[in-house]
Each structure stands twice: as structure tokens, then as C-alpha cells.
């Protein structure tokens, strides 16, 4: 009989998140600068003690469309070990806890009565506003780091 042991491996999260996001981007998964940071934060919250938990945490952060799953799976399993051919990744296999019942009064659940849509009106003009005056609208620009 051989000895069996379990070893806890501590990972340096920023380089792991950056490398995984770079490989996913190269595989065609759309990537924003915030996603690697969100992934590192998710790993501190989830504590991925198994490959399955790591998989679903990463997939939840990086995949935003079902069409990206194939590219994500190819990158993930190339890094963290191949998936057995008869081992499908099944979300229903992951244990979940049911959500607690909603104890709010029924009136808080309804959005509007009679199927009407909620509308908003423009703010009232003050005395110092000119009618039809042009207003400067800020334009989002990429920072030096993003460029």
C-alpha cells in the first residue's frame, strides 16, 4: 500500500489571472481589463479547493456567452489538465443550496399595476437653464494603462 497525501498549493493570483485571461483572449474569448481582477477576487472568495470549483469560478467570470464555452474549455483543460472523454462538465452535478424564501410583502414584488410601464420625465428646468442650450457630454477615453 502506498502513502496518500493531500497538498495545499498557494497560487500567486495576479499572475495566474493575467496569464489565464491572456490565453483566453488569444483563443477568442472577449476580454476586458477588469476580468482578470474580478477572477482574482472571485478566487479569494470561493477558495477553489478542487478543479471543478476552479472551473466554474473561472467560467462564471470569463464566459459571457454560450458560444465562448468551447474556447474556454480548450484553454482551461490545456492548463489545468485534460478532461476525461467520458467526464462531461455538468453544471447540474455541482451541489447547490436553495435560495431562502422571499419574506417581503406582496406589494414589494409587483412592478406596476395593470401591466403599465414605468416612465420617467425629464428634470424640470431651473431659472438659470437656457432653453435648448447645448450641454457638453463627457466621452469615455482609454487610460494610458489600457492603451
Amino acid at each position: 500500500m502506498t502513502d496518500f497525501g493531500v497538498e495545499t498549493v498557494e497560487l500567486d493570483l495576479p499572475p495566474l489571472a493575467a496569464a489565464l485571461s491572456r490565453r483566453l483572449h488569444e483563443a477568442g474569448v472577449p476580454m476586458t481589463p477588469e476580468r482578470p481582477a474580478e477572477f482574482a477576487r472571485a478566487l479569494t472568495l470561493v477558495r477553489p479547493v478542487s478543479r471543478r470549483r476552479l472551473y466554474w469560478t473561472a467560467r462564471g467570470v470569463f464566459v459571457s456567452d454560450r458560444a465562448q464555452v468551447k474556447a474556454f474549455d480548450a484553454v482551461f483543460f490545456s492548463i489545468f489538465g485534460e478532461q476525461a472523454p467520458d467526464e462531461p462538465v455538468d453544471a447540474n452535478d455541482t451541489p447547490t443550496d436553495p435560495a431562502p424564501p422571499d419574506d417581503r410583502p406582496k406589494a414589494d414584488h409587483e412592478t406596476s399595476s395593470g401591466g403599465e410601464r414605468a416612465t420617467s420625465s425629464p428634470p424640470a428646468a431651473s431659472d438659470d437653464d437656457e432653453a435648448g442650450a447645448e450641454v457638453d457630454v463627457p466621452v469615455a477615453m482609454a487610460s494610458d494603462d489600457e492603451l
Side-chain angles (χ1 to χ4, degrees):
M1 187 177 241
T2 62
D3 291 336
F4 176 77
V6 176
E7 179 182 352
T8 301
V9 177
E10 296 294 327
L11 300 173
D12 193 11
L13 294 181
L16 170 70
L20 180 58
S21 64
R22 184 177 53 252
R23 298 232 355 229
L24 288 169
H25 178 69
E26 290 169 356
V29 177
M31 197 60 52
T32 62
E34 293 85 17
R35 287 212 176 150
E38 291 170 0
F39 179 58
R41 182 172 178 267
L43 289 179
T44 62
L45 296 173
V46 172
R47 300 219 10 110
V49 294
S50 67
R51 185 171 75 162
R52 174 178 287 154
R53 187 177 285 184
L54 177 63
Y55 173 87
W56 286 109
T57 303
R59 184 170 160 176
V61 172
F62 290 118
V63 175
S64 58
D65 188 275
R66 291 181 83 63
Q68 302 164 3
V69 172
K70 189 176 246 184
F72 174 83
D73 285 351
V75 171
F76 183 88
F77 291 117
S78 73
I79 295 171
F80 297 105
E82 285 298 319
Q83 178 182 10
D86 60 342
E87 176 192 355
V89 177
D90 184 11
N92 296 327
D93 191 27
T94 306
T96 59
D97 294 327
D102 192 353
D103 295 330
R104 294 180 296 170
K106 183 152 177 71
D108 290 346
H109 291 257
E110 297 176 12
T111 55
S112 63
S113 61
E116 298 173 6
R117 298 181 76 190
T119 60
S120 63
S121 58
S126 63
D127 293 337
D128 59 336
D129 285 343
E130 296 178 26
E134 286 189 18
V135 178
D136 289 333
V137 177
V139 177
M141 301 294 290
S143 70
D144 292 338
D145 291 339
E146 292 172 328
L147 291 174

